Amino acid sequence: MSARTGNDPAMWSRLIGQETAVRILRDAVASGAPGHAYLFVGPQGVGRELAAMALAASLNCPDGGCGVCDVCARVLRRAHPDVYTIAPEGAQILVDQVRTVRENAYLSPYEGRVKVFLFEDAHRLNPAASNALLKVLEEPPGDVVFVLVTESPEDLLPTVVSRCRRVDFFPLGPAEIERVLVTQHDAEPSLASWAARTGGDLSTALRFVKDPGAPERRRAHLDIPGRLVRSGPSESVRIAAELAEEAAAAVSALTKRQKDELARHLEAFGDARATGAARKRVEDRHKREARRTETEVYDSALRDVASFYRDVLLAGAGVPDDALVNTEMAERLRRAAAVADPAWLVGALERIEDTRRALARNVQAVLALEAIFMELGTPRARAGAR
Ligand SMILES: [Zn+2]
């Protein structure tokens, strides 16, 4: 990507399909008074965090967000000392996290002009944390911008919401996802097309493209319903164990990358003032990433399994093959549809959703997986089938 002029900062051009949000934010920056608090509302994986990073870069980069300089690069890597990410510890953002934010907010920036505090999943601010944040929002320091990212603004304290400027982000269609993958991530076009259709959102599709093992693992996940029916309840224990192994491998690959990042980070922070706090921030983020990576493995397996049952349901309703997600196995899906009870399929999809939600709340993953697979192992037949 080449450097652009100040009129077309490259950081903003990374956002695809969010023209309104980009216009609002760029106008705000251009006005010289960008405002102190934003609420970025929209589903996961559509560029909300990237927009926050573009905003942070455009406020701190000497060229207004060129996308190529050291400042922009570090903002994008979340390794800039004036850009803070606050994410839930477990299920909630805690008041201690907001207290740390408040302390940092009143310090001058380490090296940039404006400190940016990005709150991921801001609807998970617990009541005490919300009230602590509200106090800062009521009297924000001049060189600070807060960005609260959420998919459910109704779960935030209304007084917090009313202090923020709302910016809406919209879901990307498969064609937009495909375009992002090809133009920004050099994805091979047929892989991008497959990932865009099956991933559902940009971050998932991107993972599929970046990770050469992903298609193979997806095939294995799609095999789970068949294995359960063929081999009975003991198979659910085996499958849960396999997924736990898959998660452990993903976390260990991540840990390796994190070690490299920490080494780079310590090198970047020669300044004694920054080292301790910055190192702790990186390490905290790494812990959260590890937890998230593990959950994400289970979640993607369950989504794949759900896509199988959804396709069976659709196939049973007579939709054409190209309306299915897993077109490559249409034949198998139609065979399953001939015998499966649609009401059982709907129930199965609901139970998978429940399990995904439970896993996001840090329940005992392996036990939850064994339980759901046990249930899926005894499908009910359609009336008159067999
Ligand atoms: Zn720059």
Side-chain angles (χ1 to χ4, degrees):
M1 193 174 293
S2 63
R4 316 284 179 91
T5 67
N7 293 327
D8 182 19
M11 286 296 282
W12 293 115
S13 67
R14 288 169 172 262
L15 277 149
I16 291 193
Q18 307 296 350
E19 283 76 17
T20 310
V22 168
R23 187 176 43 71
I24 291 171
L25 294 170
R26 289 186 60 178
D27 287 353
V29 173
S31 76
H36 292 299
Y38 288 90
L39 186 64
F40 285 7
V41 178
Q44 221 188 328
V46 298
R48 302 167 310 176
E49 285 83 5
L50 182 58
M53 292 306 115
L55 181 63
S58 64
L59 293 168
N60 284 301
C61 159
D63 291 322
C66 68
V68 291
C69 74
D70 177 54
V71 172
C72 289
R74 282 184 296 140
V75 169
L76 275 175
R77 285 209 315 272
R78 308 248 184 136
H80 192 286
D82 295 312
V83 181
Y84 298 76
T85 299
I86 299 93
E89 299 281 353
Q92 296 184 325
I93 298 178
L94 307 170
V95 68
D96 278 349
Q97 293 175 271
V98 177
R99 285 198 189 112
T100 309
V101 166
R102 199 164 58 192
E103 282 159 23
N104 286 316
Y106 290 97
L107 296 173
S108 55
Y110 284 122
E111 59 167 75
R113 289 192 295 262
V114 178
K115 287 167 301 216
V116 175
F117 293 88
L118 166 63
F119 286 77
E120 292 180 350
D121 287 341
H123 53 276
R124 293 181 184 272
L125 280 156
N126 73 15
S130 298
N131 281 308
L133 178 61
L134 185 60
K135 289 207 184 77
V136 196
L137 293 180
E138 281 166 352
E139 280 178 63
D143 54 4
V144 165
V145 174
F146 295 99
V147 178
L148 279 59
V149 167
T150 185
E151 53 194 338
S152 50
E154 62 283 2
D155 292 335
L156 271 98
L157 205 61
T159 41
V160 166
V161 172
S162 71
R163 294 267 160 192
C164 298
R165 175 146 193 211
R166 176 170 170 149
V167 181
D168 284 292
F169 291 74
F170 300 98
L172 300 180
E176 285 168 321
I177 295 176
E178 190 177 335
R179 199 169 107 227
V180 176
L181 295 175
V182 172
T183 60
Q184 291 182 20
H185 302 281
D186 295 322
E188 192 269 315
S190 70
L191 182 61
S193 166
W194 169 79
R197 281 172 50 98
T198 51
D201 64 53
L202 179 57
S203 46
T204 308
L206 186 57
R207 216 174 33 249
F208 284 1
V209 161
K210 295 253 150 131
D211 177 358
E216 180 54 42
R217 282 201 304 277
R218 183 179 162 81
R219 267 192 295 279
H221 296 161
L222 290 171
D223 218 26
I224 289 174
R227 284 174 66 186
L228 287 168
V229 172
R230 284 195 302 273
S231 308
S234 65
E235 198 69 0
S236 56
V237 176
R238 197 152 32 227
I239 292 167
E242 283 170 15
L243 292 177
E245 241 169 74
E246 189 188 323
V251 170
S252 118
L254 173 76
T255 309
K256 235 175 264 157
R257 287 198 302 277
Q258 288 176 334
K259 274 194 189 126
D260 294 345
E261 192 203 334
L262 190 59
R264 276 202 312 276
H265 206 79
L266 293 176
E267 193 188 330
F269 284 99
D271 175 13
R273 177 191 171 202
T275 305
R279 182 190 176 122
K280 171 138 186 5
R281 264 163 51 201
V282 173
E283 286 173 344
D284 285 350
R285 177 161 56 80
H286 285 173
K287 272 186 225 147
R288 288 194 305 270
E289 281 172 1
R291 267 205 302 275
R292 217 176 295 174
T293 297
E294 189 186 354
T295 310
E296 191 47 49
V297 167
Y298 301 136
D299 196 57
S300 85
L302 289 175
R303 273 195 315 239
D304 289 342
V305 171
S307 80
F308 177 92
Y309 291 117
R310 199 172 300 113
D311 275 353
V312 173
L313 195 58
L314 289 173
V319 307
D321 281 1
D322 62 4
L324 303 174
V325 169
N326 304 294
T327 37
E328 73 281 5
M329 54 192 292
E331 185 56 43
R332 219 162 101 195
L333 295 164
R334 294 204 179 281
R335 276 202 308 274
V339 292
D341 174 19
W344 182 86
L345 290 166
V346 170
L349 287 167
E350 281 167 3
R351 286 285 298 115
I352 294 172
E353 277 308 303
D354 290 345
T355 305
R356 289 180 57 200
R357 271 197 293 273
L359 289 173
R361 290 195 308 267
N362 286 339
V363 299
Q364 285 279 341
V366 173
L367 291 180
L369 291 170
E370 286 174 4
I372 180 72
F373 292 142
M374 198 81 85
E375 234 172 284
L376 298 176
T378 51
R380 200 167 63 224
R382 179 191 280 274
R386 278 181 197 162

